[in-house]
């Protein structure tokens, strides 16, 4: 496992960070977005989608469970597993997404733990003292991610 950590100080920073990650993503990537309600998981995903060239505004898939965006450099599958807390065994065909041709981002991945591939990237967002500050921790699991060159992604520069 490889770990990186950085901080953002506004929602714009967090969006920019998502955007900055996007060029390093490949078909079949799985990103787990961890963190409390309202911490910035969807905000990060929105920036990432923009970076992939998706023009449609990313909205939380809480009620739809999965939203698909096909207009970018790679398809983006944005899942929110929150509602599966009460029905963890429900099979929504996750494999097809995880082994698919796009990037899959999952909010509340703890509710579909058994479905998630061992190799994945996990992003944890945590609130800090000040309202708009967030600590963002990236963990890479598996060669697929650990051996990838993420260029200047971790240099902390969000301009
Ligand atoms: P989640 O998907 O984790 O439930 P959202 O991304 O929908 O959270 O909402 C995050 C909220 O926190 C937004 O209202 C956003 O404006 C606010 N916010 C404040 N500071 C930050 C920050 N540094 N990063 C991300 N969001 C922030
Ligand atoms: Mg959300």
């Amino acid at each position: 496992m490889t770990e990186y950590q950085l901080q953002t100080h506004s929602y714009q920073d967090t969006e920019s960070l998502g955007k900055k990650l996007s060029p390093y993503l490949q078909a079949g990537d799985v990103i787990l977005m961890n963190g409390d309600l309202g911490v910035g998981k969807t905000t990060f995903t929105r920036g990432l989608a923009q970076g992939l060239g998706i023009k449609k505004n990313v909205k939380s898939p809480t009620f739809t469970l999965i939203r698909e965006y096909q207009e970018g450099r790679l398809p983006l599958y944005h899942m929110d597993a929150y509602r599966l807390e009460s029905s963890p065994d429900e099979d929504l065909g996750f494999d097809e997404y995880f082994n698919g041709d796009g990037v899959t981002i999952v909010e509340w991945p703890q509710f579909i733990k058994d479905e998630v591939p061992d190799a994945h990237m996990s992003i944890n967002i945590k609130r800090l003292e000040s309202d708009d500050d967030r600590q963002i921790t990236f963990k890479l699991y598996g060669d697929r991610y650990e051996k990838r060159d993420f260029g200047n992604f971790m240099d902390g520069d969000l301009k």
Side-chain angles (χ1 to χ4, degrees):
M1 195 267 286
T2 308
E3 183 172 333
Y4 302 94
Q5 213 166 63
L6 38 82
Q7 291 186 11
T8 64
H9 306 286
S10 66
Y11 80 86
Q12 291 96 332
D13 277 2
T14 300
E15 234 177 62
S16 299
L17 197 60
K19 195 168 182 177
K20 196 174 171 191
L21 177 62
S22 64
Y24 304 106
L25 297 177
Q26 301 175 3
D29 280 352
V30 175
I31 303 175
L32 309 186
M33 296 291 315
N34 293 290
D36 295 340
L37 189 67
V39 81
K41 302 181 293 297
T42 299
T43 301
F44 183 93
T45 305
R46 184 172 297 129
L48 192 152
Q50 281 171 17
L52 288 175
I54 293 163
K55 302 247 156 49
K56 224 182 253 169
N57 187 32
V58 166
K59 285 190 227 138
S60 174
T62 306
F63 296 102
T64 48
L65 294 174
I66 300 172
R67 284 182 194 265
E68 304 191 13
Y69 302 88
Q70 297 285 352
E71 52 179 320
R73 177 174 71 82
L74 295 166
L76 177 67
Y77 306 117
H78 185 197
M79 298 184 189
D80 187 327
Y82 190 75
R83 288 201 310 144
L84 297 180
E85 180 176 18
S86 48
S87 50
D89 295 329
E90 196 169 335
D91 186 358
L92 293 166
F94 296 111
D95 276 0
E96 272 175 55
Y97 291 101
F98 294 145
N99 299 313
D101 54 356
V103 173
T104 306
I105 299 200
V106 190
E107 299 189 32
W108 303 100
Q110 59 267 50
F111 298 138
I112 57 164
K113 263 206 303 288
D114 294 345
E115 318 286 338
V116 169
D118 291 341
H120 61 258
M121 181 184 314
S122 114
I123 301 177
N124 187 72
I125 310 182
K126 206 178 119 197
R127 278 203 182 75
L128 299 172
E129 313 268 276
S130 168
D131 262 4
D132 292 343
D133 291 350
R134 303 286 190 272
Q135 177 172 286
I136 307 191
T137 307
F138 296 83
K139 291 185 181 174
L140 308 177
Y141 293 93
D143 284 354
R144 176 185 175 89
Y145 304 97
E146 291 192 80
K147 295 201 165 143
R148 190 173 306 178
D149 180 2
F150 283 93
N152 67 349
F153 175 61
M154 285 296 157
D155 66 10
D157 185 3
L158 295 174
K159 294 295 157 305

